[in-house]
Coordinates of all heavy atoms in Angstrom, one line a residue:
M1 N 47.9 -97.5 -8.6 CA 47.6 -97.2 -7.2 C 46.3 -97.7 -6.8 O 45.4 -96.9 -6.5 CB 47.7 -95.7 -7.0 CG 49.1 -95.1 -7.3 SD 50.3 -95.6 -6.1 CE 51.9 -95.0 -6.9
S2 N 46.1 -99.0 -6.9 CA 44.8 -99.5 -6.6 C 44.4 -99.3 -5.2 O 43.2 -99.5 -4.8 CB 44.8 -101.0 -7.0 OG 45.8 -101.7 -6.3
V3 N 45.3 -99.1 -4.3 CA 44.9 -98.8 -2.9 C 43.8 -97.8 -2.7 O 42.9 -97.9 -2.0 CB 46.1 -98.4 -2.0 CG1 46.3 -99.3 -0.8 CG2 47.3 -98.3 -2.8
D4 N 44.1 -96.7 -3.5 CA 43.2 -95.5 -3.3 C 42.0 -95.5 -4.3 O 41.0 -94.8 -4.1 CB 44.0 -94.2 -3.6 CG 44.8 -93.8 -2.4 OD1 44.7 -94.5 -1.3 OD2 45.7 -93.0 -2.5
T5 N 42.1 -96.2 -5.4 CA 41.2 -96.0 -6.4 C 39.9 -96.8 -6.4 O 39.0 -96.6 -7.0 CB 41.8 -96.2 -7.8 OG1 42.6 -97.4 -7.8 CG2 42.8 -95.1 -8.1
D6 N 39.9 -97.9 -5.5 CA 38.7 -98.6 -5.4 C 38.5 -99.0 -4.0 O 39.1 -99.8 -3.4 CB 38.8 -99.9 -6.3 CG 37.5 -100.7 -6.3 OD1 36.4 -100.0 -6.1 OD2 37.6 -101.9 -6.4
R7 N 37.5 -98.3 -3.3 CA 37.2 -98.5 -2.0 C 35.7 -98.6 -1.8 O 35.0 -97.6 -2.2 CB 37.9 -97.4 -1.1 CG 37.6 -97.7 0.4 CD 38.3 -96.6 1.2 NE 39.6 -96.4 0.8 CZ 40.3 -95.3 1.1 NH1 39.7 -94.3 1.7 NH2 41.6 -95.1 0.8
D8 N 35.1 -99.6 -1.2 CA 33.7 -99.7 -1.0 C 33.0 -99.5 -2.3 O 31.9 -98.9 -2.4 CB 33.2 -98.8 0.0 CG 33.9 -99.0 1.3 OD1 34.4 -100.1 1.6 OD2 34.0 -98.1 2.1
G9 N 33.6 -99.9 -3.5 CA 32.9 -99.8 -4.7 C 32.9 -98.3 -5.3 O 32.3 -98.0 -6.3
R10 N 33.5 -97.4 -4.5 CA 33.6 -96.0 -5.0 C 34.7 -95.9 -6.0 O 35.8 -96.6 -5.9 CB 33.8 -95.1 -3.8 CG 32.6 -95.0 -2.9 CD 33.1 -94.3 -1.6 NE 33.5 -93.0 -1.8 CZ 34.3 -92.3 -1.0 NH1 34.8 -92.9 0.0 NH2 34.7 -91.1 -1.3
D11 N 34.5 -95.0 -6.9 CA 35.6 -94.6 -7.9 C 36.2 -93.3 -7.4 O 35.7 -92.3 -7.8 CB 35.1 -94.6 -9.3 CG 36.2 -94.4 -10.3 OD1 37.3 -94.0 -9.9 OD2 36.0 -94.6 -11.5
L12 N 37.3 -93.4 -6.6 CA 37.8 -92.2 -6.0 C 38.4 -91.2 -7.1 O 38.3 -90.1 -7.0 CB 38.9 -92.6 -5.0 CG 38.4 -93.4 -3.8 CD1 39.5 -93.7 -2.8 CD2 37.2 -92.8 -3.1
E13 N 38.9 -91.9 -8.1 CA 39.5 -91.1 -9.2 C 38.4 -90.2 -9.9 O 38.6 -89.1 -10.2 CB 40.2 -91.9 -10.2 CG 41.5 -91.4 -10.7 CD 42.4 -92.5 -11.3 OE1 41.9 -93.2 -12.2 OE2 43.6 -92.6 -10.9
A14 N 37.3 -90.8 -10.1 CA 36.1 -90.1 -10.7 C 35.7 -89.1 -9.8 O 35.3 -88.0 -10.2 CB 35.1 -91.1 -11.1
E15 N 35.6 -89.3 -8.5 CA 35.1 -88.4 -7.5 C 36.1 -87.1 -7.6 O 35.6 -86.0 -7.4 CB 35.0 -89.0 -6.1 CG 33.8 -89.8 -6.0 CD 33.7 -90.2 -4.5 OE1 34.0 -89.5 -3.6 OE2 33.1 -91.3 -4.3
L16 N 37.3 -87.4 -7.6 CA 38.3 -86.3 -7.6 C 38.2 -85.5 -8.9 O 38.4 -84.3 -8.9 CB 39.7 -86.9 -7.5 CG 40.8 -85.9 -7.4 CD1 40.7 -85.0 -6.1 CD2 42.2 -86.5 -7.5
A17 N 37.9 -86.2 -10.0 CA 37.7 -85.5 -11.3 C 36.5 -84.6 -11.3 O 36.4 -83.7 -12.1 CB 37.7 -86.5 -12.5
N18 N 35.5 -84.9 -10.4 CA 34.3 -84.1 -10.4 C 34.6 -82.7 -9.9 O 35.3 -82.6 -8.9 CB 33.3 -84.9 -9.5 CG 31.9 -84.3 -9.5 OD1 31.7 -83.1 -9.3 ND2 31.0 -85.2 -9.9
P19 N 33.9 -81.7 -10.6 CA 34.2 -80.3 -10.1 C 33.8 -80.2 -8.6 O 34.3 -79.3 -7.9 CB 33.2 -79.5 -11.0 CG 33.0 -80.4 -12.2 CD 33.0 -81.8 -11.7
A20 N 32.9 -81.0 -8.1 CA 32.5 -80.9 -6.7 C 33.7 -81.1 -5.7 O 33.6 -80.7 -4.6 CB 31.3 -81.8 -6.4
A21 N 34.7 -81.7 -6.2 CA 35.9 -82.0 -5.3 C 36.6 -80.7 -5.1 O 37.3 -80.7 -4.1 CB 36.7 -83.1 -5.9
G22 N 36.5 -79.8 -6.0 CA 37.3 -78.6 -5.9 C 38.5 -78.7 -6.9 O 38.8 -79.7 -7.4
K23 N 39.1 -77.5 -7.1 CA 40.2 -77.5 -8.2 C 41.6 -77.5 -7.6 O 42.5 -77.9 -8.3 CB 40.0 -76.2 -9.0 CG 38.9 -76.3 -10.0 CD 38.9 -75.1 -10.9 CE 37.8 -75.2 -11.9 NZ 37.6 -73.9 -12.6
F24 N 41.8 -77.0 -6.4 CA 43.1 -76.9 -5.8 C 43.3 -77.6 -4.6 O 42.3 -77.8 -3.8 CB 43.4 -75.3 -5.6 CG 43.3 -74.5 -6.8 CD1 42.1 -73.7 -7.0 CD2 44.2 -74.6 -7.8 CE1 41.9 -73.0 -8.2 CE2 44.0 -73.9 -9.0 CZ 42.9 -73.0 -9.2
G25 N 44.5 -78.0 -4.3 CA 44.8 -78.6 -3.0 C 45.0 -80.1 -3.2 O 45.0 -80.6 -4.4
I26 N 45.3 -80.8 -2.1 CA 45.7 -82.2 -2.2 C 44.4 -83.0 -2.0 O 43.5 -82.6 -1.3 CB 46.8 -82.5 -1.2 CG1 46.3 -82.2 0.2 CG2 48.1 -81.8 -1.5 CD1 47.2 -82.8 1.3
P27 N 44.3 -84.2 -2.6 CA 43.1 -85.0 -2.5 C 43.1 -85.7 -1.2 O 44.0 -86.3 -0.7 CB 43.3 -86.1 -3.6 CG 44.7 -85.8 -4.2 CD 45.4 -84.8 -3.5
V28 N 41.9 -85.5 -0.6 CA 41.7 -86.2 0.7 C 40.3 -86.8 0.6 O 39.4 -86.3 0.0 CB 41.7 -85.3 1.9 CG1 43.2 -84.7 2.1 CG2 40.8 -84.1 1.8
D29 N 40.1 -87.9 1.4 CA 38.8 -88.5 1.6 C 38.3 -87.9 2.9 O 39.0 -87.8 3.9 CB 39.0 -90.0 1.8 CG 37.7 -90.7 1.3 OD1 36.9 -90.2 0.5 OD2 37.6 -91.9 1.6
A30 N 37.1 -87.3 2.8 CA 36.7 -86.5 4.0 C 35.2 -86.8 4.2 O 34.5 -87.1 3.3 CB 36.9 -85.0 3.7
V31 N 34.8 -86.6 5.5 CA 33.4 -86.7 5.9 C 32.8 -85.4 6.2 O 33.3 -84.6 7.0 CB 33.3 -87.6 7.2 CG1 31.9 -87.8 7.6 CG2 34.0 -89.0 7.0
C32 N 31.6 -85.2 5.7 CA 30.9 -84.0 5.9 C 30.3 -84.1 7.3 O 29.6 -85.0 7.6 CB 29.7 -83.8 4.9 SG 28.6 -82.5 5.3
V33 N 30.5 -83.0 8.1 CA 29.9 -83.0 9.4 C 28.5 -82.9 9.5 O 27.7 -83.2 10.5 CB 30.6 -82.0 10.4 CG1 32.1 -82.3 10.6 CG2 30.4 -80.6 10.0
G34 N 27.9 -82.3 8.4 CA 26.5 -82.0 8.3 C 25.7 -83.3 8.1 O 24.7 -83.6 8.8
C35 N 26.1 -84.1 7.0 CA 25.2 -85.2 6.6 C 25.9 -86.5 6.7 O 25.3 -87.6 6.6 CB 24.7 -85.0 5.2 SG 26.0 -84.9 4.0
G36 N 27.2 -86.5 7.0 CA 28.0 -87.7 7.3 C 28.4 -88.4 6.0 O 29.0 -89.5 6.1
R37 N 28.2 -87.8 4.8 CA 28.6 -88.5 3.6 C 30.2 -88.4 3.4 O 30.7 -87.4 3.9 CB 27.9 -88.0 2.4 CG 28.2 -86.6 2.0 CD 27.5 -86.3 0.7 NE 26.0 -86.4 0.8 CZ 25.2 -86.4 -0.2 NH1 25.6 -86.4 -1.4 NH2 23.9 -86.5 0.0
T38 N 30.8 -89.3 2.8 CA 32.1 -89.3 2.6 C 32.4 -89.0 1.1 O 31.8 -89.7 0.3 CB 32.8 -90.6 2.9 OG1 32.4 -91.0 4.3 CG2 34.3 -90.6 2.8
R39 N 33.2 -88.1 0.8 CA 33.5 -87.7 -0.6 C 35.0 -87.3 -0.7 O 35.6 -86.9 0.3 CB 32.7 -86.4 -1.0 CG 31.3 -86.8 -1.3 CD 31.1 -87.6 -2.6 NE 29.6 -87.9 -2.9 CZ 29.0 -88.9 -2.4 NH1 29.6 -89.7 -1.6 NH2 27.8 -89.1 -2.7
V40 N 35.5 -87.5 -1.9 CA 36.9 -87.0 -2.2 C 36.8 -85.5 -2.3 O 36.0 -85.0 -3.1 CB 37.4 -87.7 -3.5 CG1 38.9 -87.1 -3.8 CG2 37.5 -89.2 -3.2
K41 N 37.6 -84.8 -1.6 CA 37.7 -83.3 -1.8 C 39.2 -82.9 -1.9 O 40.1 -83.6 -1.5 CB 37.2 -82.7 -0.5 CG 35.7 -82.9 -0.2 CD 34.8 -82.1 -1.2 CE 33.4 -82.3 -0.9 NZ 32.6 -81.7 -2.0
R42 N 39.4 -81.7 -2.4 CA 40.7 -81.1 -2.4 C 40.7 -80.1 -1.3 O 39.8 -79.3 -1.2 CB 41.0 -80.5 -3.8 CG 41.3 -81.4 -4.9 CD 41.7 -80.6 -6.1 NE 41.7 -81.5 -7.2 CZ 42.7 -82.2 -7.6 NH1 43.8 -82.2 -6.9 NH2 42.6 -83.0 -8.7
A43 N 41.8 -80.1 -0.6 CA 42.0 -79.0 0.4 C 43.4 -78.6 0.4 O 44.3 -79.5 0.2 CB 41.5 -79.6 1.8
S44 N 43.7 -77.4 0.7 CA 45.1 -76.9 0.7 C 45.7 -77.2 2.0 O 44.9 -77.5 3.0 CB 45.1 -75.4 0.4 OG 44.5 -74.7 1.5
L45 N 47.0 -77.3 2.1 CA 47.6 -77.6 3.4 C 47.2 -76.6 4.4 O 47.0 -76.9 5.6 CB 49.2 -77.5 3.1 CG 49.6 -78.7 2.3 CD1 51.1 -78.4 1.9 CD2 49.6 -80.0 3.1
E46 N 47.2 -75.2 4.0 CA 46.8 -74.2 5.0 C 45.4 -74.4 5.5 O 45.2 -74.2 6.7 CB 46.8 -72.9 4.3 CG 48.3 -72.4 3.9 CD 48.6 -72.8 2.4 OE1 48.1 -73.8 1.9 OE2 49.2 -71.9 1.7
E47 N 44.5 -74.8 4.7 CA 43.1 -75.1 5.2 C 43.1 -76.2 6.2 O 42.2 -76.2 7.1 CB 42.2 -75.5 4.0 CG 41.7 -74.4 3.0 CD 40.9 -75.0 1.9 OE1 41.4 -75.9 1.2 OE2 39.8 -74.5 1.8
M48 N 44.0 -77.1 6.2 CA 44.0 -78.2 7.1 C 45.1 -77.9 8.2 O 45.5 -78.8 9.0 CB 44.2 -79.4 6.4 CG 43.2 -79.8 5.4 SD 43.3 -81.4 4.7 CE 44.7 -81.3 3.7
D49 N 45.4 -76.6 8.4 CA 46.4 -76.2 9.4 C 47.7 -76.8 9.4 O 48.3 -77.2 10.3 CB 45.7 -76.4 10.8 CG 46.3 -75.4 11.8 OD1 46.9 -74.4 11.4 OD2 46.3 -75.8 13.0
Q50 N 48.2 -77.0 8.1 CA 49.5 -77.6 7.9 C 50.5 -76.6 7.3 O 49.9 -75.6 6.6 CB 49.4 -78.8 7.0 CG 48.5 -79.9 7.5 CD 49.1 -80.6 8.7 OE1 50.2 -81.0 8.9 NE2 48.2 -80.6 9.8
H51 N 51.7 -76.8 7.4 CA 52.6 -75.9 6.9 C 52.6 -75.9 5.4 O 52.5 -77.0 4.8 CB 54.1 -76.2 7.4 CG 55.1 -75.1 7.0 ND1 55.6 -74.9 5.8 CD2 55.6 -74.2 7.8 CE1 56.4 -73.9 5.8 NE2 56.4 -73.4 7.1
P52 N 52.5 -74.7 4.7 CA 52.3 -74.7 3.2 C 53.4 -75.5 2.5 O 53.2 -76.0 1.4 CB 52.4 -73.2 2.9 CG 52.4 -72.4 4.1 CD 52.5 -73.4 5.3
R53 N 54.6 -75.6 3.1 CA 55.6 -76.3 2.4 C 55.8 -77.8 2.9 O 56.8 -78.5 2.6 CB 57.0 -75.6 2.6 CG 57.0 -74.4 1.8 CD 58.2 -73.5 2.2 NE 58.2 -72.2 1.5 CZ 59.0 -71.9 0.5 NH1 59.8 -72.7 0.1 NH2 58.9 -70.7 0.0
A54 N 54.9 -78.2 3.7 CA 54.9 -79.5 4.2 C 54.8 -80.6 3.1 O 54.2 -80.2 2.0 CB 53.8 -79.8 5.2
D55 N 55.4 -81.7 3.2 CA 55.3 -82.7 2.1 C 54.0 -83.4 2.3 O 53.7 -84.1 3.3 CB 56.5 -83.7 2.3 CG 56.4 -84.8 1.3 OD1 55.6 -84.7 0.4 OD2 57.3 -85.8 1.4
P56 N 53.1 -83.3 1.3 CA 51.8 -83.9 1.4 C 51.8 -85.3 1.5 O 51.0 -86.0 2.1 CB 51.1 -83.4 0.1 CG 51.9 -82.4 -0.5 CD 53.3 -82.5 0.0
T57 N 52.9 -86.0 1.0 CA 52.9 -87.5 1.0 C 53.2 -87.9 2.4 O 53.1 -89.1 2.7 CB 53.9 -88.0 0.0 OG1 55.2 -87.5 0.3 CG2 53.5 -87.6 -1.4
A58 N 53.7 -87.0 3.2 CA 54.0 -87.4 4.6 C 52.9 -87.0 5.6 O 53.0 -87.2 6.8 CB 55.3 -86.8 5.1
L59 N 51.8 -86.5 5.1 CA 50.7 -86.0 5.9 C 50.0 -87.2 6.5 O 49.7 -88.2 5.8 CB 49.8 -85.2 5.1 CG 50.0 -83.7 5.0 CD1 48.8 -83.1 4.3 CD2 50.3 -83.0 6.3
K60 N 49.5 -87.0 7.7 CA 48.5 -87.9 8.3 C 47.2 -87.2 8.4 O 47.1 -86.1 8.9 CB 49.0 -88.4 9.7 CG 50.2 -89.3 9.7 CD 50.3 -89.9 11.0 CE 51.7 -90.7 11.2 NZ 52.8 -89.8 11.4
A61 N 46.1 -87.9 8.0 CA 44.8 -87.3 8.1 C 44.5 -86.9 9.5 O 43.8 -85.8 9.7 CB 43.8 -88.2 7.5
S62 N 45.0 -87.6 10.5 CA 44.7 -87.3 11.9 C 45.3 -86.0 12.3 O 44.9 -85.5 13.3 CB 45.1 -88.5 12.8 OG 46.5 -88.8 12.5
D63 N 46.3 -85.6 11.6 CA 47.0 -84.3 12.0 C 46.3 -83.1 11.3 O 46.6 -82.0 11.6 CB 48.4 -84.3 11.5 CG 49.3 -85.3 12.4 OD1 48.9 -85.7 13.5 OD2 50.3 -85.7 11.9
C64 N 45.4 -83.4 10.4 CA 44.8 -82.3 9.6 C 43.5 -81.9 10.3 O 42.7 -82.7 10.8 CB 44.5 -82.8 8.2 SG 45.9 -83.2 7.3
T65 N 43.4 -80.5 10.3 CA 42.1 -80.0 10.9 C 41.0 -80.1 9.8 O 41.2 -80.2 8.7 CB 42.3 -78.6 11.3 OG1 42.6 -77.8 10.1 CG2 43.4 -78.4 12.3
S66 N 39.7 -80.0 10.3 CA 38.7 -79.9 9.3 C 38.7 -78.6 8.5 O 39.3 -77.7 8.9 CB 37.3 -80.0 10.1 OG 37.2 -79.2 11.2
F67 N 38.1 -78.7 7.3 CA 38.2 -77.6 6.4 C 36.9 -77.4 5.8 O 36.0 -78.2 5.8 CB 39.2 -77.9 5.3 CG 38.8 -79.1 4.5 CD1 38.2 -79.0 3.3 CD2 39.4 -80.4 4.9 CE1 37.9 -80.2 2.6 CE2 39.1 -81.5 4.2 CZ 38.3 -81.4 3.0
K68 N 36.6 -76.1 5.3 CA 35.3 -75.7 4.9 C 35.2 -76.1 3.4 O 36.1 -75.7 2.6 CB 35.0 -74.3 5.2 CG 33.6 -74.0 5.3 CD 33.3 -72.9 6.3 CE 31.8 -72.9 6.7 NZ 31.4 -71.6 7.3
H69 N 34.1 -76.7 3.0 CA 34.0 -77.0 1.6 C 32.5 -77.2 1.4 O 31.7 -77.6 2.3 CB 34.7 -78.3 1.2 CG 35.2 -78.4 -0.2 ND1 34.3 -78.6 -1.2 CD2 36.4 -78.3 -0.7 CE1 35.0 -78.6 -2.4 NE2 36.3 -78.5 -2.1
V70 N 32.1 -76.9 0.0 CA 30.7 -77.0 -0.2 C 30.3 -78.5 -0.1 O 31.0 -79.4 -0.6 CB 30.3 -76.4 -1.6 CG1 30.9 -77.2 -2.7 CG2 28.8 -76.2 -1.7
C71 N 29.1 -78.7 0.3 CA 28.5 -80.2 0.3 C 27.2 -80.1 -0.4 O 26.3 -79.3 -0.2 CB 28.2 -80.6 1.7 SG 27.4 -82.3 1.7
Y72 N 27.1 -80.9 -1.5 CA 26.0 -81.0 -2.3 C 24.8 -81.7 -1.7 O 23.7 -81.5 -2.1 CB 26.3 -81.5 -3.7 CG 27.2 -80.5 -4.5 CD1 28.6 -80.5 -4.3 CD2 26.6 -79.6 -5.4 CE1 29.4 -79.6 -4.9 CE2 27.4 -78.7 -6.0 CZ 28.8 -78.7 -5.8 OH 29.6 -77.7 -6.4
G73 N 25.1 -82.5 -0.6 CA 24.0 -83.0 0.1 C 23.4 -82.0 1.1 O 22.2 -81.9 1.1
C74 N 24.2 -81.2 1.7 CA 23.7 -80.2 2.6 C 23.3 -78.9 1.8 O 22.7 -78.1 2.3 CB 24.8 -79.9 3.6 SG 25.2 -81.2 4.7
Q75 N 23.7 -78.9 0.6 CA 23.5 -77.7 -0.3 C 24.0 -76.4 0.3 O 23.4 -75.4 0.2 CB 22.0 -77.6 -0.7 CG 21.6 -78.8 -1.4 CD 20.3 -78.6 -2.2 OE1 19.4 -77.9 -1.7 NE2 20.1 -79.2 -3.3
S76 N 25.2 -76.5 1.0 CA 25.7 -75.3 1.6 C 27.2 -75.7 1.9 O 27.6 -76.8 1.8 CB 25.0 -74.8 2.8 OG 25.1 -75.8 3.9
A77 N 28.0 -74.7 2.3 CA 29.3 -74.9 2.7 C 29.3 -75.4 4.1 O 28.6 -74.9 5.0 CB 30.1 -73.6 2.6
T78 N 30.0 -76.6 4.3 CA 30.0 -77.1 5.6 C 31.4 -77.5 6.0 O 32.4 -77.3 5.2 CB 29.2 -78.5 5.7 OG1 29.7 -79.4 4.7 CG2 27.8 -78.2 5.4
W79 N 31.6 -78.1 7.2 CA 32.9 -78.6 7.6 C 33.1 -80.0 7.2 O 32.2 -80.8 7.3 CB 33.2 -78.4 9.0 CG 33.2 -76.9 9.5 CD1 32.2 -76.1 9.9 CD2 34.4 -76.1 9.3 NE1 32.6 -74.8 10.1 CE2 34.0 -74.8 9.7 CE3 35.7 -76.3 8.9 CZ2 34.9 -73.7 9.8 CZ3 36.6 -75.2 9.0 CH2 36.1 -73.8 9.4
W80 N 34.3 -80.3 6.8 CA 34.7 -81.7 6.4 C 35.9 -82.2 7.3 O 36.8 -81.4 7.4 CB 35.0 -81.7 4.9 CG 33.9 -81.5 4.0 CD1 33.3 -80.2 3.7 CD2 33.2 -82.5 3.3 NE1 32.3 -80.4 2.8 CE2 32.1 -81.7 2.5 CE3 33.3 -83.8 3.1 CZ2 31.2 -82.4 1.7 CZ3 32.3 -84.5 2.2 CH2 31.4 -83.7 1.6
N81 N 35.7 -83.3 7.8 CA 36.9 -83.9 8.5 C 37.7 -84.8 7.6 O 37.1 -85.8 7.1 CB 36.4 -84.7 9.7 CG 35.8 -83.9 10.8 OD1 36.2 -82.7 11.0 ND2 34.6 -84.2 11.4
P82 N 39.0 -84.6 7.4 CA 39.8 -85.5 6.6 C 39.9 -86.9 7.2 O 40.1 -87.0 8.4 CB 41.1 -84.9 6.6 CG 40.9 -83.4 7.1 CD 39.8 -83.5 8.0
V83 N 39.6 -87.9 6.4 CA 39.7 -89.2 6.9 C 41.0 -89.9 6.4 O 41.7 -90.6 7.1 CB 38.5 -90.1 6.4 CG1 38.6 -91.5 6.9 CG2 37.2 -89.5 6.7
T84 N 41.4 -89.7 5.2 CA 42.5 -90.3 4.5 C 43.1 -89.3 3.6 O 42.4 -88.6 2.8 CB 42.2 -91.5 3.7 OG1 41.3 -92.3 4.5 CG2 43.4 -92.3 3.3
V85 N 44.4 -89.1 3.6 CA 45.1 -88.3 2.6 C 45.4 -89.4 1.5 O 46.0 -90.4 1.6 CB 46.5 -87.7 3.1 CG1 47.1 -87.0 2.0 CG2 46.2 -86.8 4.3
L86 N 44.9 -89.0 0.3 CA 44.9 -89.9 -0.9 C 46.2 -89.9 -1.6 O 46.3 -89.3 -2.7 CB 43.7 -89.7 -1.8 CG 42.4 -89.8 -1.0 CD1 41.2 -89.5 -1.9 CD2 42.1 -91.4 -0.6
I87 N 47.2 -90.4 -1.0 CA 48.6 -90.3 -1.5 C 48.7 -90.9 -3.0 O 49.3 -90.4 -3.8 CB 49.5 -91.1 -0.6 CG1 49.4 -90.6 0.8 CG2 50.9 -91.0 -1.1 CD1 49.9 -89.3 1.1
G88 N 47.9 -92.0 -3.2 CA 48.0 -92.7 -4.5 C 47.6 -91.7 -5.6 O 48.1 -91.6 -6.6
L89 N 46.4 -91.0 -5.3 CA 45.9 -90.1 -6.3 C 46.8 -88.9 -6.4 O 47.0 -88.4 -7.6 CB 44.5 -89.6 -5.9 CG 43.3 -90.6 -6.0 CD1 42.1 -90.0 -5.5 CD2 43.2 -91.3 -7.4
L90 N 47.4 -88.5 -5.4 CA 48.3 -87.4 -5.4 C 49.5 -87.7 -6.3 O 50.0 -86.9 -7.1 CB 48.7 -87.0 -4.0 CG 49.7 -85.9 -3.7 CD1 48.9 -84.5 -4.0 CD2 50.2 -85.9 -2.3
E91 N 50.0 -88.9 -6.1 CA 51.3 -89.3 -6.8 C 50.9 -89.6 -8.2 O 51.8 -89.3 -9.1 CB 51.8 -90.5 -6.1 CG 52.6 -90.1 -4.8 CD 53.2 -91.3 -4.1 OE1 52.8 -92.4 -4.4 OE2 54.1 -91.0 -3.2
S92 N 49.8 -90.1 -8.6 CA 49.5 -90.3 -10.0 C 49.3 -89.0 -10.7 O 49.6 -88.9 -11.9 CB 48.3 -91.2 -10.1 OG 47.1 -90.7 -9.6
E93 N 48.8 -88.0 -10.0 CA 48.7 -86.6 -10.6 C 50.1 -86.1 -10.9 O 50.3 -85.5 -11.9 CB 47.9 -85.7 -9.7 CG 46.5 -85.9 -9.7 CD 45.8 -84.8 -9.0 OE1 46.4 -84.1 -8.1 OE2 44.6 -84.5 -9.3
R94 N 51.0 -86.3 -9.9 CA 52.4 -85.8 -10.1 C 53.0 -86.5 -11.3 O 53.7 -85.9 -12.0 CB 53.1 -86.0 -8.8 CG 52.8 -85.0 -7.8 CD 53.7 -85.2 -6.5 NE 53.5 -84.1 -5.6 CZ 54.2 -84.1 -4.4 NH1 54.9 -85.2 -4.1 NH2 54.0 -83.2 -3.6
D95 N 52.7 -87.8 -11.3 CA 53.4 -88.6 -12.5 C 52.9 -88.0 -13.9 O 53.6 -88.1 -14.8 CB 53.0 -90.0 -12.3 CG 53.7 -90.7 -11.1 OD1 54.6 -90.0 -10.6 OD2 53.3 -91.7 -10.7
R96 N 51.7 -87.5 -13.8 CA 51.1 -87.0 -15.1 C 51.6 -85.5 -15.3 O 51.2 -85.0 -16.3 CB 49.6 -87.1 -15.1 CG 49.1 -88.5 -15.3 CD 47.6 -88.5 -15.7 NE 46.8 -87.8 -14.8 CZ 46.0 -88.4 -13.8 NH1 46.2 -89.7 -13.5 NH2 45.3 -87.7 -13.0
G97 N 52.3 -85.0 -14.3 CA 52.8 -83.6 -14.5 C 51.8 -82.6 -14.2 O 51.8 -81.5 -14.6
E98 N 50.7 -82.9 -13.3 CA 49.7 -81.9 -13.1 C 50.1 -81.1 -11.8 O 50.8 -81.5 -11.0 CB 48.3 -82.6 -12.8 CG 47.8 -83.1 -14.2 CD 46.5 -83.9 -13.9 OE1 45.9 -83.8 -12.9 OE2 46.2 -84.6 -14.8
Ligands
ZN4 ZN1 26.8 -82.6 3.9

């Protein structure tokens, strides 16, 4: 899934593996409203105002609301706006049975 794993020199897979991304939820690329940095985060469907049984692979980032998550740049919990739902990362996790 090279679409998702290498963007602007970022290693999205490594960002997702970082504890800062969070443990639960679907992987999204999101922008912190506080400092403007873009990071891979996990957010649950409910946090993004989506139906809990919605198919994550059919989600559009533009339909997702911002969600609260800690930002290590702001050193506090801030709001994050989803930019992209990282379907590739989601599917590769599923393929591994996670
Ligand atoms: Zn921030």
